[in-house]
Amino acid sequence: MQRLRVRYAKRGRLRFTSHRDFARAFERAVQRAALPVAYSSGFSPHPRISYANATPTGAASEAEYLEIGLREIRAPGDVHQALDQALPKGLDVIEVVVATPGALADRLTGSRWRVELPGVVYDDAAAAVERFLSSDRVEVQRLTKRGMRTFDCREAVMSMRAYDASAAAAAAELPLTPGAAADSAPGGASATVAAHESGAVRTCAILDMVVRQGTPAVRPDDILTGLRQLAGLEPPTPPLQTRIAQGPIDPMTGDVGDPLASDRDASASAGDR
């Protein structure tokens, strides 16, 4: 009867939630919210919920997406409120829209990531980024379900810049999508940036990167491995990775667009009629 697209965030400690754990938590939230979810046919029916390009475990995100099918038509705002109340704090529903024709996954061709590197000075990060971008190929290895795999992580990186967290402009220039403020300091700076400004963290470089999504998927960890191999860049403490945006890549600007824009526009047009 109805397909809805949901944008949600993984914040704080919930960034350590695996995709499988989130799927279980979301299905339970659907039950608690008493939503009339549709089920597949066959011997073993499953709820019609499809997930797209989940972040790696340990990475935070402001731009995760899924699609859910309902047996009855419900107002997206009511579904938004019911799901957000049923999910634990840190797994936050940001937006729910009625789906238009076409596959959601086809719109998710790139991601924008912010990677905070506590203990790394800006000059070292900037030099490593310059060396990475000037390389034609950067091969890294990752253990996959099929064993150790070697692949080029340079090709997927469309842009990458380094910032100094101590600069006030750093937080202003790095875009935060709506809803990020719940896990951020005033003004859009993350908790690491806020700690730096208060003196708790003395040095912190920030990487802002746009990464094309393909097969195999290149993750921020892979890019950090490449930076370590090329320039010896290795943070003394684990970096904080946050997906800021996910959607279609603009061929003119190289930035990441809004995958729900056409769904939102269609709903607005239907409302006008």
Side-chain angles (χ1 to χ4, degrees), residues 75 213 236:
Q213 293 175 180

Side-chain angles (χ1 to χ4, degrees), residues 177-199:
T177 50
D183 196 36
S184 301
S190 70
T192 300
V193 178
H196 176 91
E197 292 174 347
S198 66

Side-chain angles (χ1 to χ4, degrees), residues 6 22 35-36 45 75 77 79 98 125 173 244 252 256:
V6 179
F22 172 79
L35 295 179
V79 175
V98 177
E173 291 182 26
I244 300 300
M252 299 298 294
V256 179

Side-chain angles (χ1 to χ4, degrees), residues 251-262:
M252 299 298 294
T253 65
D255 208 349
V256 179
D258 182 358
L260 302 184
S262 59

Side-chain angles (χ1 to χ4, degrees), residues 49-66:
I49 304 172
S50 58
Y51 306 89
N53 298 331
T55 56
T57 302
S61 178
E62 293 295 323
E64 299 298 284
Y65 294 92
L66 62 83

Side-chain angles (χ1 to χ4, degrees), residues 63 110-114 159 161 163 173-175 208-211 213 242-247 254-256:
S111 291
R112 185 163 199 157
W113 291 90
R114 183 183 67 223
S159 65
R161 294 179 292 173
Y163 292 85
E173 291 182 26
L174 290 175
D208 173 40
M209 59 183 76
V210 174
V211 182
Q213 293 175 180
T242 304
R243 175 144 58 186
I244 300 300
Q246 183 181 190
D255 208 349
V256 179

Side-chain angles (χ1 to χ4, degrees), residues 43 54 63 68 71 80 95 118 129 143 162 242 249:
F43 182 76
I68 181 172
R71 301 189 311 271
H80 180 173
E95 185 177 11
V129 168
L143 184 62
T242 304
I249 294 180

